[in-house]
Amino acid sequence: MIIRQYFDDLISLFFPPTCAGCDMPLTYGEHLICTVCWFHLPYTNGHRDSCNGSARLFWGRVQLAAVASYLYFMDDSRVQRILHRYKYRGCPEIGTLMGLRYGELLIATPPFNQIDVIVPVPLHRAKLRKRGYNQSAFFARGLSQVMQKPVVIDGLVRNRAADTQTRKTRYERHENVLNTFAMNNSRGLAGRHVLLVDDVLTTGATIEACASVLLAGGVADVSAVTIAKTV
């Protein structure tokens, strides 16, 4: 263990890891995101307000117990750079870290602290093979560690590969995910309060589709959280 630590320190001396938010070298004790970026991230504090912007997005669309997002997402921002590294540059540990941080807030906030299980939004198997991991599952893992609730990875399946949601209008996003998801673990979820998790909330089409399937399958309540919400 000591030899490994010396080796890691030597590697860091010549090739210091950089912050996912600002690309500056991380200092001793920092992990993935530097202290300055943590301080300046645009936190929504939506978990404290049942009428927050993320929750209002679903009013009249699907019945959710609560909805909240950890951060605001804007183009050319720290959050965009962090999530780009998280999703596309092979750094799923960022999702776990975000889950750990957000979980500390959610376990003190009803109704999030009343959930029974955590279900990540699934990827289609073709995209999962290409990317190598489901980013939402890593976010769920971090939440689980803090909130002490199990993750049901196979609670939902994506039964067809929808086109990417990027650059689609609200209506096109809704149409794109229709009949895309199916419930896969009804005995493990029926009658329970499910926390549905995803990375970014834009129009809400994906969360709406997943929540509708869960509720139709006998889930008692669905709450939802995401790492970020677009502005």
Side-chain angles (χ1 to χ4, degrees):
M1 182 67 70
I2 295 177
I3 294 175
R4 175 60 183 273
Q5 183 63 55
Y6 283 144
F7 180 76
D8 289 344
D9 289 345
L10 183 62
I11 293 296
S12 296
L13 180 64
F14 293 99
F15 305 98
T18 59
C19 172
C22 64
D23 211 31
M24 294 295 291
L26 295 171
T27 61
Y28 188 79
E30 293 179 335
H31 179 58
L32 298 173
I33 299 171
C34 72
T35 304
V36 172
C37 280
W38 278 121
F39 181 81
H40 288 288
L41 287 177
Y43 302 101
T44 72
N45 293 313
H47 59 288
R48 300 176 181 174
D49 178 12
S50 62
C51 298
N52 67 74
S54 295
R56 292 198 305 270
L57 196 59
F58 296 95
W59 289 359
R61 295 169 59 180
V62 63
Q63 185 64 47
L64 297 175
V67 187
S69 301
Y70 189 30
L71 306 168
Y72 288 115
F73 180 102
M74 291 166 280
D75 290 338
D76 194 26
S77 66
R78 285 181 171 89
V79 175
Q80 184 186 48
R81 290 189 289 272
I82 288 169
L83 292 183
H84 188 272
R85 185 179 292 192
Y86 170 42
K87 292 179 66 172
Y88 304 116
R89 294 177 59 187
C91 196
E93 297 87 356
I94 290 175
T96 304
L97 179 59
M98 289 291 177
L100 291 170
R101 290 270 184 149
Y102 204 24
E104 292 289 353
L105 302 178
L106 298 178
I107 58 173
T109 309
F112 298 106
N113 58 2
Q114 299 163 7
I115 64 157
D116 298 308
V117 295
I118 302 171
V119 175
V121 169
L123 287 180
H124 187 267
R125 57 184 178 274
K127 182 171 285 188
L128 184 60
R129 283 196 301 269
K130 181 179 180 180
R131 182 172 296 169
Y133 58 92
N134 177 2
Q135 70 277 3
S136 297
F138 278 83
F139 180 41
R141 181 182 300 176
L143 292 168
S144 174
Q145 290 180 32
V146 174
M147 301 178 77
Q148 294 296 294
K149 300 297 180 181
V151 178
V152 182
I153 292 292
D154 62 347
L156 288 168
V157 292
R158 191 183 287 258
N159 52 31
R160 70 179 181 86
D163 297 333
T164 179
Q165 297 282 66
T166 306
R167 298 188 181 89
K168 290 186 182 297
T169 65
R170 181 184 297 271
Y171 176 77
E172 289 170 340
R173 286 172 182 258
H174 177 76
E175 290 293 302
N176 192 42
V177 296
L178 281 179
N179 304 313
T180 294
F181 302 97
M183 197 164 167
N184 188 50
N185 193 344
S186 57
R187 287 193 298 176
L189 300 179
R192 311 188 81 180
H193 185 169
V194 169
L195 181 64
L196 183 64
V197 303
D198 203 4
D199 53 356
V200 180
L201 176 63
T202 304
T203 66
T206 299
I207 293 290
E208 179 185 0
C210 289
S212 297
V213 167
L214 289 170
L215 291 168
V219 166
D221 292 293
V222 177
S223 293
V225 295
T226 64
I227 296 175
K229 178 189 183 301
T230 58
V231 176

